[in-house]
Amino acid sequence: MSETDEASGEPGRLRRVLSHGRRGPILLISTLVLVLAGTGLGTWAADTWPWPKDRYCWGAWEEDSGPGFLGDEAFGDDDDGSRTGKETAPTRERPTGSCEVAIASHYKSNYDGDKVTTDQKVSVEYGPVPKAAEARLAMVQDGFLGGDMVPLPDGLPGTVNGRGGLLVLPKSCDTQDGRPTVVTMRASGTYASGPSYTQNDPADLGGARQAAVLLVAAANRGMAAAGCAPDEPLRVSSPLYDLPGKQERVFSTSDDVCGIRGLRLDTEDIEDQIGAATRDLQTCSVRGDRDGVPYLNLAMVAQPRLAAVFDGITGERPAARGWRGTGTLGKEHAIVRADCAGRPVVFLMGVSTDPGHLAVFANAAAARLGCAPIAPKGAGR
């Protein structure tokens, strides 16, 4: 498996030289101007440097192209911050790949003199969804169908937020056994100050729409390398809609969560976040209001290519007696697939092991779509 360090080139080293002191940069820049002018290679009038910018993720992303993690602002006050890239591109013979951009900075705070350390990453994975049902549900539902995710624009099958997203690729990229190939992107990171203060500080993707642009750009490059790209590249040209609501505190065990009548949990120390509520997608997440621990994840997926991610894992029998469609009620996840308003629709539950929660949610979503209940009367009690 080969790796390339794309941020170790001359531009990064020279930029760090330019950042030291106040007199050094003036002398060095003056020298560069004279040399470039004498050789006829100067590009200062066009406000461009005489060296190429670094590129990452199979060439999909360019240094200083907009998002914070690709610019110098990613380094904060650190003149010697580093950005490195490593990648393995998919191929026709092995249609899986990954790429990662890592940012590291270490400096003393101008405020209190404490040592500040920032380590951030943006990671992309290209490949088919797992064969095992539990692994597939954990990957897709837990990671990319939460209440803070929104549908990708322009009919693209997937979801996105300010920290990453998932895109299901066209059928031309499916595996021989029919599993869809997906591209996922995640931003992560930590900020530490002094000996005891640490907090999550994901790399700056520039917001949900910019994250969608980054995700689609990586997907186009990955498909081209794997030999399954469509005739026209995928594009993000529209704004995002159906932005998630704010996290709302649940004050009583008798309160309805996720805006669904009768959907109740046995604790008060929670908050819910209602995501998309469209014909293609509905999501909601419930977490602890102080510790952020997940209590319940719910999703309805009817967008054909996104729903195809769950093909082959719902079994051949109803999830329980009296339920429509097929499905399974597991220890960590539950999934039900049924016909609804003329389309196959998938209903998902994670974290909770109470089938009543899925019953209430699935029946509420089915009623909104204008189809028959999924669970029998009384299953939500």
Side-chain angles (χ1 to χ4, degrees):
M1 192 173 293
S2 63
E3 293 183 348
T4 59
D5 184 349
E6 295 187 16
S8 62
E10 191 65 26
R13 288 199 293 271
L14 185 52
R15 183 167 53 251
R16 289 195 289 273
V17 171
L18 290 171
S19 66
H20 287 290
R22 302 179 66 88
R23 187 179 178 188
I26 296 174
L27 294 175
L28 182 55
I29 290 172
S30 298
T31 302
L32 284 171
V33 171
L34 291 174
V35 171
L36 291 168
T39 59
L41 297 177
T43 57
W44 301 99
D47 193 30
T48 59
W49 293 96
W51 47 72
K53 294 180 180 294
D54 292 334
R55 299 192 72 91
Y56 304 92
C57 202
W58 318 311
W61 307 336
E62 186 178 69
E63 178 187 12
D64 295 328
S65 61
F69 80 98
L70 292 175
D72 285 345
E73 60 266 35
F75 307 131
D77 294 331
D78 184 5
D79 290 342
D80 292 315
S82 65
R83 178 169 45 242
T84 58
K86 62 181 181 180
E87 61 186 49
T88 301
T91 64
R92 292 176 183 271
E93 296 74 26
R94 183 189 44 78
T96 61
S98 65
C99 64
E100 178 184 280
V101 180
I103 299 105
S105 61
H106 310 275
Y107 58 93
K108 282 190 175 182
S109 169
N110 294 328
Y111 174 71
D112 54 16
D114 281 345
K115 180 182 178 181
V116 175
T117 301
T118 302
D119 291 292
Q120 299 175 321
K121 291 182 180 179
V122 180
S123 304
V124 172
E125 298 288 337
Y126 179 109
V129 294
K131 289 184 178 181
E134 190 64 32
R136 195 181 308 185
L137 290 168
M139 170 191 168
V140 180
Q141 186 193 359
D142 292 355
F144 301 102
L145 288 176
D148 60 346
M149 307 295 290
V150 300
L152 287 169
D154 302 302
L156 295 170
T159 60
V160 69
N161 64 11
R163 300 180 308 281
L166 172 145
L167 173 64
V168 186
L169 300 184
K171 287 183 67 66
S172 58
C173 298
D174 285 0
T175 62
Q176 290 184 352
D177 61 6
R179 284 176 294 142
T181 294
V182 300
V183 178
T184 62
M185 178 176 67
R186 301 175 189 267
S188 60
T190 57
Y191 170 94
S193 179
S196 58
Y197 180 76
T198 302
Q199 68 175 21
N200 288 331
D201 184 28
D204 179 12
L205 299 180
R209 190 182 186 283
Q210 181 63 61
V213 173
L214 291 166
L215 177 64
V216 169
N220 283 329
R221 291 286 183 152
M223 288 189 292
C228 65
D231 293 337
E232 295 292 332
L234 306 181
R235 286 188 173 86
V236 175
S237 57
S238 302
L240 297 178
Y241 293 103
D242 304 297
L243 295 177
K246 295 181 179 179
Q247 294 177 338
E248 298 288 345
R249 176 82 183 274
V250 178
F251 291 99
S252 169
T253 56
S254 63
D255 288 350
D256 299 329
V257 300
C258 297
I260 297 174
R261 179 177 295 181
L263 183 56
R264 294 165 184 165
L265 301 181
D266 297 328
T267 179
E268 302 174 6
D269 300 323
I270 56 175
E271 60 185 15
D272 64 5
Q273 184 166 35
I274 300 173
T278 70
R279 184 171 177 265
D280 287 337
L281 183 68
Q282 182 173 344
T283 60
C284 179
S285 296
V286 183
R287 296 180 177 274
D289 67 340
R290 295 192 182 115
D291 54 18
V293 173
Y295 275 76
L296 177 65
N297 291 327
L298 294 164
M300 178 282 295
V301 179
Q303 205 283 341
R305 282 300 290 167
L306 186 55
V309 165
F310 305 104
D311 284 352
I313 63 172
T314 59
E316 299 179 356
R317 297 180 179 181
R321 185 175 180 180
W323 285 60
R324 289 204 301 118
T326 61
T328 58
L329 301 175
K331 293 182 179 180
E332 297 182 12
H333 297 91
I335 179 170
V336 173
R337 186 186 186 100
D339 290 335
C340 187
R343 299 194 294 173
V345 178
V346 179
F347 302 90
L348 301 153
M349 179 177 71
V351 185
S352 171
T353 59
D354 186 344
H357 295 151
L358 181 61
V360 174
F361 171 75
N363 284 345
R368 186 175 64 82
L369 295 175
C371 64
I374 305 300
K377 187 177 182 179
R381 295 177 183 174

